[in-house]
């Protein structure tokens, strides 16, 4: 039973489709990936746990799997627990889906985390700001993709940021936390059965200029860090995963490296990183066939052969560039060119455009609003930068400002 069948899951679904398996799919709408055959398919929101449980009890799967989606991973844990299948525990899913639990358990374990508080109303945020100063980060307790996350620099900005976080929080909980100045890192890994958590890739990243620079723009592997700091970031993921007790599957951590060399936990997910991170980038960087490891773990049997050593992952240069072609509040896509040329390049691991001619594009308010992504690789970092610059020059997107009338 595979939960969430979108474009981000295509590599995993292709792998499952290549095996002699009956695949029962679940997707939120009719836009599911149609490159493989499904024995049966349920169109349902992954948060609709009653419907998913009824479907699972009807088809009685031998395994349940998901990737790159917090809601799907939670449903996977519920079904695995209810039916006695291999998978993430409910405890893992609860922690991975709650920034409040992560903060609370992280502080208790002595992890470096921002100061934080749960805010029941905007007055709680104001009190926290007067105690700790500005800027602050205001965020939902449980959502994804930067929905409802805002940086607040002054008291006058608190109310709109609080309500934005509130309406995007499924539990209606809102967190305020101190802003940590530093370099943003993504650290990816996996909980290997018999080994425990292992870091497989560390990346440094830059943010898009939109929405006060909280949305990822360019993510570079291996991270452009001195060896000691690279190792420190790697150890931070393993220490965090162990402290929170994660016992199964992917790890995707967000950290901030300060000028003083401290590594602060922003958040951690017990699922693969989105936009092909777990399914294309981490295998390419590390040289480890992590998708096969994950499928084997979910099946509870070593069906697929595994390559690579989790104790000695590689560091193949790889970059993800996320697109935001216009700062205009609203515009119409008039022309896109260069896609065929880019897709023909061997160093382009994946190109995915999320806009097309005629689309209306608006301001970037969350990660879901980005216009596309390109993932590239090269033998060494300097050559990768050159190739990325060359590739971006080949992609031409014309957006015409929309008439306000």
């Amino acid at each position: 039973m595979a939960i969430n069948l979108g474009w981000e899951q295509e590599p995993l679904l292709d792998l499952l489709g290549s095996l002699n398996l009956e695949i029962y799919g679940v997707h939120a709408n009719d836009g599911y990936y149609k490159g493989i055959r499904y024995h049966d398919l349920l169109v349902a929101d992954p948060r609709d746990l009653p419907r998913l449980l009824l479907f699972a009890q009807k088809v009685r799967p031998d395994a349940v799997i998901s990737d790159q989606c917090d809601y799907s991973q939670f449903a996977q844990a519920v079904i695995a627990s209810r039916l006695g299948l291999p998978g993430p525990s409910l405890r893992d899913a609860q922690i991975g889906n709650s920034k409040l639990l992560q903060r609370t358990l992280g502080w208790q374990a002595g992890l470096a985390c921002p100061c934080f508080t749960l805010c029941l109303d905007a007055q709680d945020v104001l009190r926290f700001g007067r105690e700790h100063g500005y800027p602050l980060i205001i965020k939902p307790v449980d959502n994804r993709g930067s929905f409802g996350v805002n940086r607040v620099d002054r008291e006058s900005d608190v109310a709109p940021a609080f309500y934005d976080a509130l309406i995007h929080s499924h539990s209606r909980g809102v967190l305020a936390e101190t802003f940590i100045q530093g370099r943003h890192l993504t650290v990816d890994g996996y909980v290997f059965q018999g080994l425990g958590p292992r870091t497989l890739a560390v990346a440094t990243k830059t943010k898009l200029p939109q929405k006060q620079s909280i949305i990822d723009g360019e993510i570079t592997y291996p991270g452009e860090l001195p060896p000691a700091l690279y190792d420190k970031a790697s150890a931070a993921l393993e220490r965090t995963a162990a402290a929170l007790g994660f016992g199964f599957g992917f790890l995707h951590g967000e950290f901030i490296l300060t000028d003083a060399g401290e590594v602060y936990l922003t958040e951690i997910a017990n699922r693969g990183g989105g936009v092909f991170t777990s399914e294309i980038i981490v295998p390419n960087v590390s040289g480890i066939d992590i998708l096969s490891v994950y499928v084997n773990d979910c099946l509870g049997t070593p069906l697929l052969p595994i390559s690579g050593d989790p104790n000695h992952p590689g560091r193949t240069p790889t970059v993800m560039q996320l697109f935001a072609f216009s700062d205009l509040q609203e515009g119409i896509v008039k022309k896109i060119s260069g896609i065929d040329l880019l897709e023909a390049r061997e160093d382009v691991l994946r190109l995915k455009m999320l806009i097309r001619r005629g689309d209306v594009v608006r301001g970037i308010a969350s990660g879901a609003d980005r216009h596309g992504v390109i993932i590239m690789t090269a033998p060494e970092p300097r050559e990768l930068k050159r190739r990325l610059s060359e590739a971006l020059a080949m992609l031409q997107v014309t957006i015409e400002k929309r008439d306000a009338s």
Side-chain angles (χ1 to χ4, degrees), residues 239-259:
R239 184 169 61 252
T240 300
L244 298 183
F246 291 137
F248 188 96
F250 290 105
L251 300 168
H252 180 68
E254 305 287 347
F255 297 87
I256 296 175
L257 173 65
T258 69
D259 289 343

Side-chain angles (χ1 to χ4, degrees), residues 274-305:
V275 198
F276 302 118
T277 298
S278 59
E279 302 191 8
I280 292 178
I281 293 176
V282 173
N284 190 69
V285 174
S286 68
I288 297 171
D289 187 5
I290 198 64
L291 272 186
S292 293
V293 175
Y294 182 52
V295 169
N296 285 349
D297 285 349
C298 289
L299 290 172
T301 185
L303 179 66
L304 295 167

